[in-house]
Each structure stands twice: as C-alpha cells, then as structure tokens.
Amino acid sequence: MGALSVGVDILFAEPDRSSLRNIQKTISADFGHTVNLAGVPQQYIDNDAMLVEALRKGPFVLGYQFLFGDRIEKNMHTLSGQCP
C-alpha cells in the first residue's frame, strides 16, 4: 500500500534557465556564438516541455491563482493587515 496522494507546492515563475534551448539563447546573446543542438534529441532541448509530457502521463491537480483586478488586491491588503 502506498500514498493515496502527495502534495507539492512549487512555483515555476519563469522558463527553466537550465534548458538547452535557453542556454543556447544566452550564449548567443552574451557571446555572439551559436551553439549547435542538431545532435541532441528533441525531447532534451526544453525542460519545460519535458515537464508537460510528464504531467500528461498521470492524474495531477495543479493549482492556479486567479486575481480579478483591483478589488481583490485591496481585499488581500485588508486580510494581511496591511493598508494600501
């Protein structure tokens, strides 16, 4: 018998900087050198795409924060004890 569910709270606020595609862009922008990724299998070029493929394989529940404009932001300040 194993766990029925596992909760993990992670925020991926920006693209993965360790993806080969992002490293390729950074080297090109910073040093003016082109890195050839021709021999690299497509699935290893973008770590974010690999995450998407992993999530497609299982039943997962992902969280999302909805903000509905100025009214919610004012309420959030009130709830946290801060004044705008």
Side-chain angles (χ1 to χ4, degrees):
M1 192 182 292
L4 295 177
S5 65
V6 175
V8 179
D9 186 8
I10 300 173
L11 174 66
F12 297 105
E14 59 187 41
D16 184 356
R17 291 179 282 178
S18 67
S19 291
L20 292 178
R21 176 165 294 144
N22 290 335
I23 292 171
Q24 180 187 44
K25 289 178 185 178
T26 300
I27 290 174
S28 178
D30 291 351
F31 302 107
H33 181 73
T34 302
V35 175
N36 186 355
L37 300 176
V40 178
Q42 189 65 35
Q43 69 265 24
Y44 298 125
I45 292 179
D46 185 350
N47 293 343
D48 292 324
M50 287 178 64
L51 174 62
V52 169
E53 288 305 313
L55 291 174
R56 285 180 201 221
K57 294 178 183 176
F60 298 99
V61 177
L62 302 177
Y64 192 83
Q65 180 179 8
F66 293 99
L67 296 178
F68 297 100
D70 195 35
R71 186 180 72 212
I72 296 298
E73 290 176 17
K74 287 179 183 174
N75 289 339
M76 289 175 64
H77 287 296
T78 303
L79 292 174
S80 67
Q82 300 174 357
C83 296

